């Protein structure tokens, strides 16, 4: 493959993974906002406001419980039949489930079937996302030059923030409607609009080629027969490691983008518009932050950047809540930028490269997907529920901050004591990074796209 062709392929892969991840997380995060704003009243009206919020956040968590199952199924498919076909399937499934949420009758119309169907559709959403993340990141990592995998793979992982921008923007736009219209039909519009985005994503994914690393390994060693079993048998330590690492990334993010959207207006008197503005500003700043931390991990290694992110998240938990409690719009925005852009983004930018580099080439899709999605249950999906429960329905935020700080320290310790340095890993290697001596000589670019040193591809 010529340098020009390889560079073009890399650009398409980065852009396609970015757009696909944006659409997936737009769909997924819409549900989080709707859980905080409307689902309690529309689908659980017989409960008290506090119990309704808990029930709504519990259905939010169902999507995270489904994510590892999606990682199991689509990880197997991605390691056996290929990355591209699997990613098209996950995108279609997510789009269909999200569109159906926008058409779902409420409790007043069909009674108990309304929350039942809501849970089923949320489960489908989570199942599809479980197969999306690992594949999208893997396509970029396996096509990027070895010395810049951290930088290039960090960009598609901003899909959570571009998806957040779209989801928050759509709800802010619909929120301009009178309350009656917003409750009756306005909240449905963002879900229905996902059909347009899915069409764009499918067009982009149709232009992609298969990963060169996957094709090379398939030709040399054949297809993997039971990649998930191999992961559970030989790479279970890497799976547990990834689960531990996810706390410093997921807990701060979902505290500020889901829990605080409900808790802030009710108990701290913060206008919802102030919170959505803070989320959008932090989401915009996440793009340069990811580029910086991803490039830094190529220079100094994945592990030092991740340790920093975990320690920063732990140190900022209490100050962030004090800034929220101040009621000042400027200080609230500052809280979001400190926690998300200086702490969360450091971990989030490194995850695509680090998590995929931990596994051998024949089980990489399964390993990265299963580890990341199992971690998503405890570190992400349960966070709004746990935080709401810790407050006891009041304004006691101290236990929530203590919880966020403690779990971030768990991630920092896991990164420092147990995580091998993987930035020099040869991706064609079929062995685990835990036993492969990943800190040895720099990995060759064999099996990855060659891009010029000055290339600064970004979506």
């Amino acid at each position: 493959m010529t340098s020009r062709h390889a560079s073009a392929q890399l650009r398409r892969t980065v852009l396609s993974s970015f757009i696909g991840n944006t659409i997936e997380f737009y769909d997924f995060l819409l549900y989080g906002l709707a859980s905080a704003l409307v689902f309690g009243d529309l689908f659980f009206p017989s409960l008290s406001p506090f119990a309704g919020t808990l029930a709504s956040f519990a259905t939010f968590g169902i999507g995270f419980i489904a994510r590892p199952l999606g990682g199991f199924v689509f990880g197997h498919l991605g390691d056996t039949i290929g990355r591209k076909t699997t990613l098209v399937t996950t995108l279609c499934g997510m789009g269909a489930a999200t569109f159906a949420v926008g058409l779902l009758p409420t409790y007043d119309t069909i009674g108990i079937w309304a929350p039942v169907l809501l849970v089923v559709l949320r489960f489908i959403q989570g199942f599809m996302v479980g197969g999306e993340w690992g594949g999208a990141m893997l396509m970029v990592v396996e096509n990027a030059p070895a010395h810049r995998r951290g930088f290039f793979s960090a960009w598609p992982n901003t899909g959570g923030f571009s998806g957040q921008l779209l989801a928050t923007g759509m709800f802010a736009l619909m929120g301009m409607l009178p309350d009656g219209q917003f409750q009756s039909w306005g909240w449905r519009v963002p879900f229905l609009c996902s059909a347009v985005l899915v069409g764009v994503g499918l067009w982009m994914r149709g232009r992609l080629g298969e990963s060169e690393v996957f094709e090379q390994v398939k030709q040399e060693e054949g297809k993997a027969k039971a990649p998930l079993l191999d992961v559970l048998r030989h790479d279970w330590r890497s799976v547990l490691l990834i689960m531990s690492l996810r706390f410093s990334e997921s807990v701060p993010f979902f505290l500020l983008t889901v829990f605080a959207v409900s808790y802030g207006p009710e108990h701290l008197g913060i206008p919802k518009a102030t919170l959505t503005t803070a989320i959008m500003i932090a989401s915009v700043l996440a793009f340069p932050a990811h580029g910086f931390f991803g490039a830094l991990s190529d220079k100094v290694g994945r592990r030092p950047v991740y340790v920093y992110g975990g320690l920063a998240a732990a140190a900022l938990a209490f100050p962030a809540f004090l800034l929220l409690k101040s009621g000042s719009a400027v200080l609230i925005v500052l809280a979001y930028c400190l926690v998300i852009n200086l702490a969360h983004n450091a971990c989030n930018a490194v995850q695509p490269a680090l998590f995929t580099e931990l596994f051998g080439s024949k089980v990489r899709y399964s390993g990265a997907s299963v580890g990341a999605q199992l971690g998503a249950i405890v570190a992400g999906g349960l966070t709004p529920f746990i935080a709401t429960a810790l407050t006891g329905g009041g304004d006691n935020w101290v236990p929530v901050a203590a919880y966020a700080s403690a779990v971030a320290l768990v991630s920092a310790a896991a990164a420092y004591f147990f995580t091998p340095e993987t930035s020099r890993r040869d991706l064609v290697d079929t062995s685990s990074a835990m036993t492969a001596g990943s800190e040895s000589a720099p990995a060759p670019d064999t099996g990855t796209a060659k891009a010029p040193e000055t290339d600064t591809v970004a979506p």
Side-chain angles (χ1 to χ4, degrees), residues 307-322 338-339 343 401 404-406 408-409 412:
V307 171
Y308 155 76
L311 293 176
L316 290 169
F318 279 92
F321 272 94
L322 290 173
L338 287 174
V339 173
S405 183
L409 287 175

Side-chain angles (χ1 to χ4, degrees), residues 375-444:
I377 297 177
V378 292
L382 295 180
T383 293
F385 181 87
I386 291 172
T388 302
L390 286 174
T391 66
D395 60 357
N396 186 15
W397 56 268
V398 174
V400 181
Y403 170 73
S405 183
V407 297
L409 287 175
V410 169
S411 290
Y416 185 80
F417 292 107
F418 302 107
T419 302
E421 181 52 62
T422 62
S423 58
R424 298 187 174 189
R425 178 112 160 108
D426 180 0
L427 293 185
V428 180
D429 190 351
T430 59
S431 61
S432 167
M434 291 292 213
T435 58
S438 55
E439 294 188 26
S440 56

Side-chain angles (χ1 to χ4, degrees), residues 6-375:
S7 181
Q9 169 73 358
L10 179 58
R11 290 176 186 275
R12 284 196 299 270
T13 303
V14 172
L15 184 59
S16 174
S17 295
F18 168 75
I19 292 176
N21 219 31
T22 295
I23 295 168
E24 294 277 7
F25 279 94
Y26 167 79
D27 290 352
F28 200 71
L29 294 169
L30 276 181
Y31 197 104
L33 286 171
S35 295
L37 298 174
V38 297
F39 280 173
D41 294 334
L42 296 179
F43 292 92
F44 306 97
S46 61
L47 302 177
S48 67
F50 175 63
T53 300
L54 278 177
S56 183
F57 282 153
T59 64
F60 176 76
I62 290 293
F64 285 84
I65 293 174
R67 284 170 70 165
L69 299 177
F72 295 158
V73 173
F74 292 113
H76 173 82
L77 295 175
D79 282 326
T80 53
I81 68 173
R83 298 14 175 162
K84 177 181 175 179
T85 301
T86 304
L87 288 173
V88 169
T89 303
T90 60
L91 187 59
C92 289
M94 170 62 84
T98 303
F99 188 80
V101 171
L103 299 175
L104 194 62
T106 63
Y107 188 94
D108 289 341
T109 303
I110 60 173
I112 191 64
W113 284 107
V116 168
L117 291 173
L118 185 67
V119 169
V120 170
L121 292 173
R122 180 58 172 176
F123 185 90
I124 295 173
Q125 278 190 324
F127 186 78
M128 296 298 169
V129 166
E132 161 68 22
W133 184 89
M137 300 305 108
L138 189 55
M139 284 290 285
V140 176
V141 171
E142 291 187 340
N143 279 283
H147 63 289
R148 305 197 70 193
R149 292 195 298 248
F151 173 75
F152 284 115
S153 63
W155 289 106
N157 219 25
T158 60
F161 289 95
S162 50
Q164 185 75 62
L165 280 170
L166 288 173
T168 303
M170 287 295 293
F171 263 99
L173 181 63
M174 292 298 104
M176 298 172 65
L177 293 170
D179 286 344
Q181 294 183 31
F182 179 74
Q183 291 280 333
S184 64
W185 60 268
W187 68 271
R188 300 178 183 275
V189 174
F191 289 91
L192 298 176
C193 285
S194 67
V196 177
L197 297 177
V198 169
V200 175
L202 289 175
W203 176 74
M204 288 296 303
R205 290 220 161 137
R207 303 177 63 206
L208 282 184
E210 186 54 82
S211 159
E212 287 190 32
V213 171
F214 175 80
E215 294 290 357
Q216 180 178 342
V217 173
K218 184 175 69 173
Q219 290 175 8
E220 294 177 357
E221 302 195 25
K223 292 182 179 180
K225 294 181 175 60
L228 179 58
L229 291 179
D230 288 341
V231 167
L232 298 179
R233 186 182 298 118
H234 303 295
D235 289 306
W236 57 270
R237 293 178 183 83
S238 296
V239 172
L240 292 179
L241 175 62
I242 290 175
M243 293 174 64
S244 301
L245 293 173
R246 290 220 60 179
F247 281 107
S248 60
E249 170 261 325
S250 292
V251 171
F253 181 80
F254 287 106
L255 276 181
L256 291 181
T257 60
V258 179
F259 166 74
V261 174
S262 172
Y263 177 80
E266 184 175 354
H267 297 289
L268 300 180
I270 303 173
K272 289 180 180 178
T274 300
L275 293 172
T276 54
T277 299
I279 291 172
M280 295 180 78
I281 290 174
S283 295
V284 170
L285 293 177
F287 291 91
H290 274 70
F292 170 76
F293 287 119
L296 184 63
S297 78
D298 286 327
K299 298 294 184 183
V300 304
R302 318 289 186 227
R303 185 168 60 182
V305 177
Y306 216 102
V307 171
Y308 155 76
L311 293 176
L316 290 169
F318 279 92
F321 272 94
L322 290 173
L323 291 173
L324 291 177
K325 193 174 175 62
S326 73
S328 165
V330 173
L331 293 181
I332 290 169
V333 171
L334 178 62
Y336 272 75
C337 293
L338 287 174
V339 173
I340 291 181
N341 301 129
L342 294 186
H344 167 278
N345 290 173
C347 298
N348 200 52
V350 175
Q351 282 183 359
L354 173 59
F355 289 3
T356 55
E357 289 165 349
L358 284 172
F359 298 93
S361 53
K362 297 186 73 172
V363 300
R364 186 168 292 131
Y365 201 139
S366 296
S369 296
V370 170
Q373 303 315 328
L374 283 173

